[in-house]
Amino acid sequence: MSPLDRAILRFWENTVKKINIGFSRYSAFYSPLIATIAGGFLKEEGLEPEYHIANAHKSVFDMIADDTVEVTQSAVSASWTPLEKGEKSPVQHFAQINIKDGFFIVAREPDPSFTWDKLSGKKVIVDHGAQPMAMFRFACHLSKLNFESIEAINLGNTDTMEAGFRAGRADYAHFQGPTPQQLEAEDVGYVVASVGEAIGPVAFSSLAASPEWLSTDEAKSFMIAYRKARKYCIETPAEDIARMENGCFNGISQSALIDCLNAYKGLGNWHPSVEISSASYERALDIFSNCGLITKRHPFDQVVVFPPDTK
């Protein structure tokens, strides 16, 4: 390494600060946050990103608590679990990622005339995570379909769900993108409905962090980068986003990824406003109340704050 190269490296090390970002799941659904990392927007703000994915042994809240990450993808509903116990939420949710559910219903055959009542009496592999299940049940409710009439199969995580569907264990399946689009690309399954389309706007996925971190200059820099990445995802063709995300998702072809990104764009998942609205928050409360997952309507200001760059 030449003296000039060493000087440049020292300068870079002294001016760039590492930032750790958490994901409860890692999929194209969270492209605005992925683009913040992969699109170089954080580096423009002097932040060097590294991401960490939660697992069965360590949640995103655990990663915030032990300083594995400074900021994480989450959902406002995640904070209702401690509030239901009379505890304080360990994080504050300060920006939205998706304002609609990102799950799709996949059938064995194409069905342009699909209606939700066709799930009655059928075997359906359903994601049993708290929020995905609550949204699925509420979509059934809105469609006048009795959830109990479905044989809802729990196969665990996305990989085992996909394996089960490929093995013929159900008539339908309930997946977040881009799995449905990959199944369709292989003529294994066909997207027939969108939970997000059935429900409409709701506080689905969000960005969250500790109150202490949100008061830092680093949080403001992160938010500036996130706003740029979000605008990029809204305005940029899916083909370009897919090229940026190439290699991010194992087993997903570029064509399937493009189809997935276009589906989310078409649904309006990435709304231009980054603030979590009280209306979308109240809608999420409606859904969780309907499913009996909460016993009270937890106040907006106990969970949500303004983005750090607005303070």
Side-chain angles (χ1 to χ4, degrees), residues 132-210:
M133 174 61 87
M135 298 287 168
F136 177 82
R137 292 185 64 133
F138 196 68
C140 291
H141 167 73
L142 291 175
S143 303
K144 312 300 182 187
L145 170 64
N146 181 1
F147 175 77
E148 301 304 326
S149 71
I150 300 170
E151 186 178 339
I153 301 171
N154 183 4
L155 294 184
N157 64 33
T158 300
D159 290 341
T160 51
M161 288 171 59
E162 180 182 352
F165 185 76
R166 287 178 180 274
R169 294 186 59 181
D171 306 293
Y172 295 91
H174 168 236
F175 290 115
Q176 190 179 78
T179 300
Q181 290 76 24
Q182 184 62 40
L183 292 170
E184 199 162 60
E186 298 177 30
D187 293 324
V188 174
Y190 301 88
V191 175
V192 294
S194 157
V195 179
E197 185 175 17
I199 293 176
V202 62
F204 197 88
S205 52
S206 59
L207 290 171
S210 69

Side-chain angles (χ1 to χ4, degrees), residues 47-193:
L47 297 171
E48 177 65 24
E50 183 174 308
Y51 70 87
H52 307 262
I53 303 172
N55 55 50
H57 307 290
K58 195 170 188 179
S59 71
V60 289
F61 281 11
D62 293 333
M63 291 195 289
I64 290 284
D66 69 7
D67 296 324
T68 299
V69 303
E70 285 77 46
V71 60
T72 186
Q73 168 262 318
S74 183
V76 295
S77 62
S79 285
W80 297 338
T81 300
L83 291 176
E84 282 287 310
K85 300 174 183 177
E87 301 169 359
K88 186 177 179 180
S89 172
V91 300
Q92 294 176 326
H93 301 261
F94 62 91
Q96 65 180 14
I97 303 174
N98 290 285
I99 198 168
K100 288 185 180 177
D101 184 292
F103 282 75
F104 301 90
I105 306 302
V106 179
R108 292 268 165 213
E109 300 292 337
D111 187 359
S113 61
F114 174 84
T115 52
W116 282 76
D117 60 348
K118 291 186 178 182
L119 299 181
S120 182
K122 301 297 185 181
K123 294 180 179 180
V124 185
I125 297 170
V126 180
D127 191 306
H128 278 57
Q131 179 156 286
M133 174 61 87
M135 298 287 168
F136 177 82
R137 292 185 64 133
F138 196 68
C140 291
H141 167 73
L142 291 175
S143 303
K144 312 300 182 187
L145 170 64
N146 181 1
F147 175 77
E148 301 304 326
S149 71
I150 300 170
E151 186 178 339
I153 301 171
N154 183 4
L155 294 184
N157 64 33
T158 300
D159 290 341
T160 51
M161 288 171 59
E162 180 182 352
F165 185 76
R166 287 178 180 274
R169 294 186 59 181
D171 306 293
Y172 295 91
H174 168 236
F175 290 115
Q176 190 179 78
T179 300
Q181 290 76 24
Q182 184 62 40
L183 292 170
E184 199 162 60
E186 298 177 30
D187 293 324
V188 174
Y190 301 88
V191 175
V192 294

Side-chain angles (χ1 to χ4, degrees), residues 104 181 191 194 238 257-270:
F104 301 90
Q181 290 76 24
V191 175
S194 157
L257 182 55
I258 290 167
D259 287 345
C260 174
L261 293 166
N262 276 325
Y264 287 140
K265 280 173 163 285
L267 282 169
N269 274 62
W270 307 319

Side-chain angles (χ1 to χ4, degrees), residues 266-283:
L267 282 169
N269 274 62
W270 307 319
H271 192 274
S273 173
V274 300
E275 291 78 16
I276 301 168
S277 72
S278 59
S280 66
Y281 181 87
E282 292 295 323
R283 184 62 165 168

